[in-house]
Every structure is written in structure tokens, then in C-alpha cells.
């Protein structure tokens, strides 16, 4: 029998309320901060991610789902949203609208990663971007939005890790200092670090191999090497976050795994920090538009992992609004076509009055019908058999009452409709 591919999951009805709640809260908070929804394609030209996400990232080196389609185009299932949203911004000339363009997207992403708790090959993100403005006020706004989004979900006691990784003015000097630090420890480094030292030394700070930890901890910190512009940008961000009541931990080893970042980088962690536990992360990417062939356009954004948010909601026993389930269960008894037709008509009346109704189908015993009604957690059951047809009644059971009642059809419908209204607080 086929199984869902490794690293993917089926989200069954009982888990849907968690996802809907996270997505509805995301849309509410995004709107509260003036962000508008976009939807970009699930697949793009592979070059967009190779260039945008970056050749030396884990994503491009080993995690992309790429293929050649029947028209011989080199296609990749999106591993993230940022290059796509920037492409859409450039393609549609959004620079001619008021800046920054505040955009968000709820999307599924694909990364050929090693599956483990909170790490999937297909996963969902809330991605939020502000493109077209370099003011640190936008960085502060996005971090504040992320913070309030988690708070609105009931996820509190978060830890915000923050760092600045400079710009093309100060980065060469810092990379030189970093290379010189690491060169004196070359023998002790893991294979990945040795390989990356020449191409992308920043990533060495991110290494999780135990023997590399003391070397990374002793490395020079970027915030001590920032140029004046980057320093004042970072200081303004700290001041603005303080005014929002958000206290970050400055983490000089936070560099993030994507190549496009400049200046601000951040990640948000729930109280129990595990290796894979970041709820989300982001930062500024002032060079990305040019990498993609557009004019210089600053930008900043973040993405939160929806599955990770759901995992944390469950771990913290946070209740989410239930789905509205069927209120009435309507069954015919016996195999007379008149009973089935009357049950159909009764169901039709309920639905026409806005009451969600579950129509029992097939031939089952009354016991089996009752078990079904119980599992569906309905408020009313309606049974219609030969006897009810003869007397023009139905057998109506209000599940909060001990006994069923025989009522004329019209009266039974009114009872259910009125009860449904009361239940919905109208
Ligand atoms: P990222 O750090 O690669 O950033 O992903 C953001 C979040 O997506 C992670 O913190 C995590 O919650 C979730 N995530 C990533 N990979 C997986 C996975 N395999 N399974 C489950 N969840 C996962 C980005 O994607 C950037 N585009 C964020 C950004 C937006 N930067 C600027 N703007």
C-alpha cells in the first residue's frame, strides 16, 4: 500500500482547526499592520533560488526539488518565498507604488531535508516582507508583528535572538578578521567548515558540530566591526524594539542559513529551546533585488513555520476554536423508499435554514446509527421510519435530554432551528 512520501504528512480533520487558527491569526495580524496578501507560483525557474537563496546555502547545495519539465525548463519547487516575492515585486514594477510594499504570503515549501520533529520535506510558512525601504523602523515593525502574532496565538515567553551582519562596506574587513581567526584553528575544524572557510566563512559561526563550538564562540563578533551606517541602523533598531517592550538577546553567532542577508538578522524561539526549534526567522536583504537583475531595492522580512507553531500550541495545551460541526443527524429506518425520501426532505429543510446536517446513508442498524451520531457529536438525532411516515412525525432526540420525542415534521424543524440559533448566540 502506498504511504505519504517521507517527510510529508496528511493533516486529518482533527488537526485542521490548529492550522486554520494559525492562518486566521496570521491574516488578522498582517492586516493589523497593513500587510496585504500575495500568492506566487509553487514552482519557479531554478535560477531564481540558485541566485536568490544562494549557491553556498544548504538549501541550494542539497535540498532543492528540481527537475526539467516537458518543455525542457529547469524548474524548482519553492524552498522559501523571499526570492519569489522579490521577483514578483520587480516583475510587476511595484516600486512605482508607495514604499515599502508590505506583503505577506501563506505557502507550502519544499526542502529535501532530513525529516525529524518539526522538520518536514513539505511544510508551510507564513512569510512577511516589506520591500522598498531601508529605515530600521521597518525591521522593528516586522519583529514587533512577529512577536504579537505569536502572542495572539498564546505563545509567550519567547526569546528573540538578534544580530547584525553588516553590508558590503563593512563585510570584507569582518570576513578577513573571521578567516584569520579560523585559519589558526584549521586543523580542528570539521569538514564542512574547512570547505566553507574560503567560500562563505560567515556560515562557520552557524556550525553545530561540537568540536567547532569553542572556535566559533571565540570568533570576532560582527557587531564590533560594523561601519558607521550599519552601527546606527542597528542602534536605532534596538531603541525602537525597546519602545515596543521587546528585549532581544544579541547573538553574535546568529548568521542564518541564507546568502541574501545584510544588516539585521533575527530568530524567534519558544521557551524550550531545541536545535530545530526556531518558530521562525528573517532579516534584511538589501542586495537581493540586484542579485536578481533588478535595481537596488532594500527589503526586510521573516518567515514562521506553521507546523512548528502548531507543535508549540499542542505542547502548551493551548485551545483553538473548534470547527463548526454538523448539528443534526438525520437517518431513515428500514428500507422503504418513502422513509429515505422523507429523511432527504427533512435534511434539505434544515440546510435551507442554515443548520448543518449529516444525512446517514446506506443500510445500517439503529445501534450503528446511534454510534455514528455519537461519534459525530451532534446535538440532535432525527429518525424516520414507516410509523413516522404514517403519522407525519419524526422521532427527534435532543442529546441533552434523556428521551426522544415524536413530533410533527414542522415542529421538529422549528425546534432544531431555534436551538441552533440559541447555540450560536444569535
Ligand atoms: P528559514 O529560516 O529558512 O527562512 O525558514 C523560516 C522558518 O520556516 C523556520 O524558522 C522554520 O520555522 C520553518 N522551516 C524551515 N524549514 C523547515 C522544515 N524543513 N520543516 C518545517 N519547518 C521549516 C526563510 O525561509 C526565509 N525566507 C525567511 C525570510 C523572509 N527572510 C526574509 N524574509
Amino acid at each position: 500500500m502506498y504511504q505519504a512520501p517521507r517527510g510529508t504528512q496528511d493533516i486529518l480533520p482533527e488537526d485542521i482547526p490548529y492550522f486554520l487558527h494559525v492562518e486566521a491569526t496570521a491574516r488578522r495580524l498582517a492586516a493589523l499592520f497593513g500587510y496585504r496578501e500575495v500568492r506566487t507560483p509553487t514552482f519557479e525557474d531554478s535560477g531564481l533560488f540558485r541566485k536568490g537563496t544562494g549557491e553556498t546555502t544548504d538549501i541550494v547545495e542539497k535540498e532543492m526539488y528540481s527537475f526539467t519539465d516537458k518543455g525542457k525548463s529547469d524548474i524548482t519547487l519553492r524552498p522559501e518565498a523571499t526570492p519569489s516575492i522579490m521577483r514578483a515585486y520587480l516583475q510587476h514594477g511595484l516600486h512605482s507604488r508607495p514604499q515599502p510594499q508590505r506583503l505577506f504570503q501563506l505557502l507550502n515549501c519544499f526542502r529535501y531535508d532530513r525529516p525529524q520533529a518539526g522538520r518536514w520535506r513539505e511544510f508551510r510558512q507564513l512569510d512577511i516582507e516589506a520591500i522598498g525601504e531601508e529605515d530600521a523602523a521597518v525591521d522593528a515593525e516586522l519583529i514587533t508583528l512577529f512577536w504579537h502574532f505569536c502572542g495572539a496565538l498564546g505563545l509567550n515567553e519567547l526569546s528573540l535572538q538578534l544580530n547584525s551582519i553588516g553590508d558590503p562596506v563593512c563585510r570584507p574587513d569582518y570576513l578577513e578578521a573571521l578567516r584569520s581567526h579560523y585559519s589558526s584553528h584549521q586543523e580542528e575544524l570539521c569538514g564542512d567548515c574547512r570547505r566553507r572557510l574560503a567560500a562563505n566563512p560567515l556560515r562557520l559561526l552557524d556550525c553545530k558540530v561540537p568540536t567547532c563550538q569553542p572556535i566559533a564562540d571565540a570568533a570576532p563578533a560582527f557587531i564590533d566591526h560594523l561601519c558607521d551606517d550599519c552601527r546606527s541602523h542597528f542602534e536605532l533598531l534596538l531603541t525602537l524594539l525597546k519602545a515596543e517592550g521587546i528585549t532581544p538577546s544579541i547573538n553574535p553567532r546568529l548568521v542564518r542559513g541564507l546568502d541574501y542577508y545584510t544588516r539585521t538578522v533575527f530568530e524567534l524561539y519558544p521557551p524550550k529551546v531545541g536545535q530545530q526549534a526556531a518558530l521562525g526567522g528573517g532579516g534584511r536583504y538589501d542586495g537581493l533585488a540586484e542579485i536578481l537583475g533588478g535595481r537596488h531595492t532594500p527589503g526586510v522580512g521573516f518567515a514562521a513555520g506553521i507546523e512548528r507553531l502548531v507543535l508549540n500550541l499542542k505542547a502548551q495545551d493551548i485551545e483553538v476554536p473548534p470547527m463548526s460541526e454538523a448539528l443534526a443527524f438525520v437517518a431513515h429506518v428500514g428500507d422503504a423508499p418513502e422513509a429515505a425520501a422523507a429523511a432527504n426532505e427533512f435534511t434539505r429543510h434544515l440546510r435551507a435554514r442554515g443548520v448543518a446536517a449529516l444525512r446517514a446513508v446506506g443500510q445500517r442498524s439503529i445501534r450503528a446509527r446511534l454510534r455514528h451520531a455519537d461519534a459525530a457529536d451532534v446535538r440532535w438525532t432525527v429518525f424516520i421510519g414507516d410509523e413516522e411516515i404514517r403519522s407525519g412525525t419524526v422521532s427527534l432526540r435532543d442529546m441533552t435530554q434523556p428521551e426522544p420525542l415524536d413530533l410533527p415534521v414542522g415542529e421538529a424543524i422549528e425546534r432544531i432551528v431555534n436551538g441552533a440559533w440559541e447555540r450560536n448566540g444569535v
Side-chain angles (χ1 to χ4, degrees), residues 59 79-83 109 111 113 118-125 127-129 256-258 260-261 267-268 276-285 300-308:
I59 294 178
E80 57 148 341
T82 311
C109 302
R111 297 185 191 177
D113 209 339
R119 191 163 283 270
W120 300 89
R121 287 182 175 168
E122 182 188 15
F123 59 96
R124 287 149 193 85
Q125 281 187 344
D127 183 275
I128 308 205
E129 314 286 355
R256 311 254 313 124
L258 305 151
Y260 45 65
Y261 290 116
E267 279 177 351
L268 208 54
Q276 312 295 354
L279 293 175
R284 183 162 274 289
Y285 46 85
V300 54
F302 72 86
I306 307 278
E307 283 79 1
R308 299 224 183 142

Side-chain angles (χ1 to χ4, degrees), residues 408-424:
V409 173
E411 200 180 325
I413 289 173
E414 290 312 315
R415 277 206 188 206
I416 296 176
V417 171
N418 290 336
W421 279 56
E422 265 165 39
R423 197 181 114 128
N424 294 337

Side-chain angles (χ1 to χ4, degrees), residues 98-362:
Q99 303 295 296
Q101 277 291 296
R102 294 177 162 97
L103 305 169
F104 81 93
Q105 177 159 216
L106 284 157
L107 71 153
N108 52 347
C109 302
F110 306 86
R111 297 185 191 177
Y112 188 80
D113 209 339
R114 198 159 55 82
Q116 50 195 290
R119 191 163 283 270
W120 300 89
R121 287 182 175 168
E122 182 188 15
F123 59 96
R124 287 149 193 85
Q125 281 187 344
L126 161 66
D127 183 275
I128 308 205
E129 314 286 355
I131 304 181
E133 176 56 62
E134 65 173 22
D135 190 342
V138 194
D139 307 46
E141 175 179 286
L142 278 159
I143 293 173
T144 307
L145 165 48
F146 194 2
W147 189 267
H148 286 297
F149 167 54
C150 291
L153 289 172
L155 299 170
N156 296 309
E157 293 173 59
L158 303 171
S159 127
L160 171 67
Q161 308 267 316
L162 183 68
N163 195 17
S164 174
I165 55 171
D167 67 3
V169 174
C170 47
R171 196 169 292 176
D173 281 352
Y174 175 68
L175 293 186
E176 213 27 64
L178 203 56
R179 276 203 195 93
S180 124
H181 166 75
Y182 271 104
S183 299
S184 57
H185 295 280
Q186 209 148 4
E187 299 305 304
E188 304 140 68
L189 294 176
C190 71
D192 263 357
C193 282
R194 247 182 266 171
R195 194 168 50 80
R196 283 187 165 139
L197 185 53
N200 191 355
L202 268 189
R203 290 296 309 283
L204 272 64
L205 295 172
D206 212 10
C207 178
K208 303 284 187 297
V209 173
T211 47
C212 294
Q213 301 309 301
I215 312 169
D217 284 337
F222 211 144
I223 44 171
D224 299 329
H225 288 73
L226 293 173
C227 58
D228 289 346
D229 284 351
C230 287
R231 167 159 305 285
S232 44
H233 194 272
F234 191 57
E235 280 167 3
L236 177 56
L237 172 59
L238 291 177
T239 308
L240 293 170
L241 287 177
K242 193 170 171 202
E244 296 291 342
I246 299 172
T247 313
S249 314
I250 294 170
N251 176 358
R253 286 188 52 189
L254 179 69
V255 291
R256 311 254 313 124
L258 305 151
D259 283 356
Y260 45 65
Y261 290 116
T262 51
R263 295 188 169 169
T264 313
V265 285
F266 58 91
E267 279 177 351
L268 208 54
Y269 286 86
K272 272 193 210 141
V273 179
Q275 263 206 352
Q276 312 295 354
L279 293 175
R284 183 162 274 289
Y285 46 85
D286 293 346
L288 178 59
E290 282 156 297
I291 293 171
L292 298 181
R295 59 154 100 172
H296 174 76
T297 312
V300 54
F302 72 86
I306 307 278
E307 283 79 1
R308 299 224 183 142
L309 293 165
V310 168
L311 212 64
N312 277 274
L313 290 178
K314 289 184 174 176
Q316 296 187 31
D317 288 325
I318 295 172
E319 284 193 19
V320 300
M323 296 281 291
S324 51
E325 305 282 0
L327 287 177
F329 177 89
V330 186
H332 59 277
V333 181
D335 47 16
E338 293 79 7
N344 286 344
E345 194 180 343
F346 196 95
T347 310
R348 207 176 300 126
H349 278 300
L350 288 180
R351 291 179 184 153
R353 302 283 297 272
V355 176
L358 200 59
R359 173 73 174 93
V361 290

